[in-house]
Structures are given as C-alpha cells and as structure tokens.
Amino acid sequence: MTKNRRLILPAVLAGIALLVVAALYLAEAAGDLPSFFPGHEAGSGRHHVKHGIAAAAVAAACFVVAWFQTEPKSRRGAAAA
Amino acid sequence: MDPISYFQAAVLGLLQGVAELFPISSLGHSVILPRLLGWDIHQNDDYFVTFLVATHFATAIVLFVFFREDWKRILTGMGRSLRDREIAADDTDAKLGWLLFAGTIPAGLLGLALEHALRSAFASAQSAAGFLVLNGVMLYGAERLRRRAPAPGDGGGDADAVIARRLGWRAALGIGTAQAIALIPGFSRSGASMGGGLLAGLSNEHAARFSFLLATPIIGAAALLKLPELFGAQGDGIRGPALLGAVCAAFTAYLAVRFLVRFFATNRLTPFAVYCTAAGAVLSVVFLAT
C-alpha cells in the first residue's frame, strides 16, 4: 500500500475540525448553529443529531487515513534491527 | 385501532424481507402494494416510517448472522491492519473490510442528507412504478456494460480474495455511492450495488456477495439511528405490528439471502431487469387508469 506522509497532517486537522463540528451539532440547537452550517434554522430548538453522527463518522475516516499513512510496525521494527 | 393491522404488518414484513435483498426495490414495493390493495398506508406517514425501521433492523440482523463467520474474519483483519498500520498485500480480510468501510461512508452521508427530501418528492405509487421501470433499465444496462463477460469458473476460488483483488478504493466508493439511488422509491439498493460491482469487473456471484456484505452496515446503521423513534411516542400503537412485521421480514430475508447466494453463482441480473421493467410498466398504466 503506497504511503503519503504529506497526507497525515491535513487528515488529522480535518478530523479534528469535523469532531468540533460534530460536537456543535450535538450540543447546540439548530437555531444556535453558525448561519453557514448546513441545518441552521433560525429560532429552531431541535438538535441535528444525525448531522453530528455523520460529521463524527467522516472525522473517524480522516483519522484512519492519517493512521495508515504513518510508518507500519513491521518497517519500524526492521529499521531498529 | 392500530394504524397498521397485524395482517398488513405480516404481509408488508414478508414482502420487505424479500424485496430488500432482491434487486427489485423494497421501498418501491412497500409504496406500491398498499395502493394496489387499497390500504390506507402512505410511505411518508410517521407510523409507516417507524414500521419500516423494525423490518430493516430485522433484515440487517439476518444478514449479519448469515455472514457472521465472514464478519468475524473481516473485523479481525481490520483490527490487525490498524495495529500494524498497513493493509498487508495478502490480507484479504483487512482489504475487504476497508473496502466495505469506504463503500458505507458515502451511502450513509447521502442517506442522511437526501432521504427526507427524496421521500417527500417521490411519495406516490405512481412515481414508484415509473422508477421501477428505470430500475429494470439500470439492471439491464449493468449487465450490458459489465467490464467482464461471465466466464466458466467465475465463482471458483476464494470469493473475498477475488473481490479484494479486483475492487479498488474508487470502485468501492462508487458502488457505495450508487446505493444512494435507492432513496428514490422504485430503485433498488442491492441492484445498484450489484450493478456497480459488475461495472467494476466482478462476476455476478462476487458482486452479489459484496452487495450483501455492504448492506449490513448501511441498513443496520440506518435502522439503529431510527430505533429510538420506535420506542418513543412515534411508536405508540405500532410496536406490536412492527414486531410481527420484523419477524416476518427476518424469515423471508433469510430465505432470500440463501436463495440469492446460490442463484447468482450461475445466473445474472437479467430476470430481475425484465420483472422490474414489466411490472413497473403495467403498474404505471394501472395507476394512470385508476
């Protein structure tokens, strides 16, 4: 599997940003979300739980991508030897 | 009086279990059947949506149990690859697991974003019949455009190894995305994913296998997200029929997956294409006339 170490930092940053987005969706009512957020509804008290779950799932995918770009255990072990 | 009677729940459950796995659109048939039988059940009614949650959940459980040994290997492989930070070239289980993961993400996101809008826009039996025709065209088109013609011995060897070798990440993403077409009543999730598998170079047997494995997390997750509705106020008056519907759906889903796994070892999507096109056309005329 080809690795691209340059992907690690962007993937981690994207994952963190999406976790923040997920937390906002879960914690804030639709009316309190930033106006540019999908699902913002002025005056609404409902929570977009599914949006939060979706953001968390994509965040997990970003972290997985970053993880797989790091040095595999087998090669680190061989290098140390 | 229950919004769905126990008899209706049994019929809809039996239908759901079959239609979810056959490439003939379970949502389309769930919309069409009540109209054909004169039942006062509409797909956007809250209680019907709640009822479908139970039947979908039952189907997902059946699929997971049917493929439980495979899921054990796949999940173990994924864990192994995370531990080692790589998917080893010969680790079929890990590769397949991550392909399924890649296919599930776009389907899940599109489902969350578009489900309500598409169901509202295409809520009628008339439109479901029309899209059923297009579903038939989609299945037939997948068979015509498939990358590889069916060959003797296509089904031989380790199916998962063949799938992991032939499918790339883009293909898995594409197949997963294609499933979202099933948000439109009349189009089939399994048909779209099987068709996508054929276009990616898989045989009918392997495309079906990948489709069934892909179905488990997406149907299961969608049902799990909505389960609180079944146990909340929205489930009042529907839980009993939903339970019966779920049991019936589980029964026919089990029979369906057993049948289809054997069917696609030697057969193609064409019979289902013919059925969908013909049934959709006839139903369109019937609904227009009435």
Side-chain angles (χ1 to χ4, degrees), chain B residues 10-20 24 26 29-31 33-34 248-249 252:
Chain B
V11 171
L12 288 169
L14 291 170
L15 173 69
Q16 170 68 22
V18 170
E20 184 65 50
I24 58 174
S26 63
H29 281 73
S30 297
V31 170
L33 186 70
C248 292
T252 51

Side-chain angles (χ1 to χ4, degrees), chain B residues 54-77:
Chain B
T55 56
H56 277 115
F57 192 60
T59 306
I61 290 174
V62 163
L63 282 174
F64 182 75
V65 169
F66 189 85
F67 291 105
R68 62 188 179 282
E69 295 303 322
D70 303 283
W71 278 111
K72 265 192 225 168
R73 288 187 293 102
I74 288 167
L75 292 172
T76 303

Side-chain angles (χ1 to χ4, degrees), chain B residues 203-273:
Chain B
S203 66
N204 286 92
E205 182 186 6
H206 297 151
R209 179 175 173 78
F210 188 71
S211 171
F212 295 144
L213 288 171
L214 197 57
T216 310
I218 197 72
I219 297 175
L224 268 174
L225 278 178
K226 292 186 179 165
L227 261 184
E229 291 171 20
L230 182 62
F231 295 108
Q234 205 163 298
D236 291 345
I238 198 72
R239 278 182 214 104
L243 178 60
L244 177 62
V247 170
C248 292
F251 174 66
T252 51
Y254 175 70
L255 294 178
V257 69
R258 276 193 62 170
F259 170 77
L260 289 173
V261 163
R262 280 200 300 269
F263 178 85
F264 282 116
T266 52
N267 288 283
R268 306 172 74 167
L269 287 171
T270 312
F272 304 106

Side-chain angles (χ1 to χ4, degrees), chain B residues 90-116:
Chain B
D90 59 348
D91 197 342
T92 295
D93 298 323
K95 175 87 186 283
L96 181 59
W98 290 114
L99 285 171
L100 292 168
F101 181 82
T104 301
I105 294 278
L109 291 177
L110 287 169
L112 286 171
L114 300 175
E115 182 191 13
H116 184 70

Side-chain angles (χ1 to χ4, degrees), chain A residues 3 53-54 67 70 73-74, chain B residues 81-82 84-86 112 225:
Chain A
K3 292 187 182 286
I53 292 171
W67 183 254
T70 57
K73 205 173 173 184
S74 55
Chain B
S81 67
L82 282 172
D84 297 341
R85 304 190 199 196
E86 68 177 350
L112 286 171
L225 278 178

Side-chain angles (χ1 to χ4, degrees), chain B residues 107-284:
Chain B
L109 291 177
L110 287 169
L112 286 171
L114 300 175
E115 182 191 13
H116 184 70
L118 288 174
R119 277 199 191 204
S120 303
F122 303 113
S124 70
Q126 182 75 51
S127 61
F131 285 122
L132 196 59
V133 174
L134 294 180
N135 186 64
V137 172
M138 177 184 76
L139 297 178
Y140 184 67
E143 285 288 354
R144 287 299 303 247
L145 295 171
R146 59 189 299 163
R147 192 173 284 188
R148 295 172 61 249
D154 250 357
D158 180 355
D160 290 348
V162 173
I163 294 168
R165 192 171 59 243
R166 290 227 170 99
L167 277 189
W169 299 110
R170 269 192 218 165
L173 279 168
I175 293 170
T177 305
Q179 293 186 106
I181 202 171
L183 294 169
I184 302 173
F187 280 107
S188 164
R189 185 209 55 78
S190 57
S193 54
M194 286 187 210
L198 293 180
L199 294 178
L202 296 178
S203 66
N204 286 92
E205 182 186 6
H206 297 151
R209 179 175 173 78
F210 188 71
S211 171
F212 295 144
L213 288 171
L214 197 57
T216 310
I218 197 72
I219 297 175
L224 268 174
L225 278 178
K226 292 186 179 165
L227 261 184
E229 291 171 20
L230 182 62
F231 295 108
Q234 205 163 298
D236 291 345
I238 198 72
R239 278 182 214 104
L243 178 60
L244 177 62
V247 170
C248 292
F251 174 66
T252 51
Y254 175 70
L255 294 178
V257 69
R258 276 193 62 170
F259 170 77
L260 289 173
V261 163
R262 280 200 300 269
F263 178 85
F264 282 116
T266 52
N267 288 283
R268 306 172 74 167
L269 287 171
T270 312
F272 304 106
V274 171
Y275 165 75
C276 288
T277 310
V282 168
L283 289 166
S284 291

Side-chain angles (χ1 to χ4, degrees), chain B residues 7-8 11-12 15 27-43 48 123-126 128-129 132 275 278-290:
Chain B
F7 173 73
Q8 291 170 333
V11 171
L12 288 169
L15 173 69
L27 191 55
H29 281 73
S30 297
V31 170
I32 288 169
L33 186 70
R35 167 79 186 268
L36 269 183
L37 298 179
W39 292 350
D40 187 22
I41 296 172
H42 305 283
Q43 68 139 349
F48 187 56
S124 70
Q126 182 75 51
L132 196 59
Y275 165 75
V282 168
L283 289 166
S284 291
V285 171
V286 166
F287 292 146
L288 265 175
T290 55

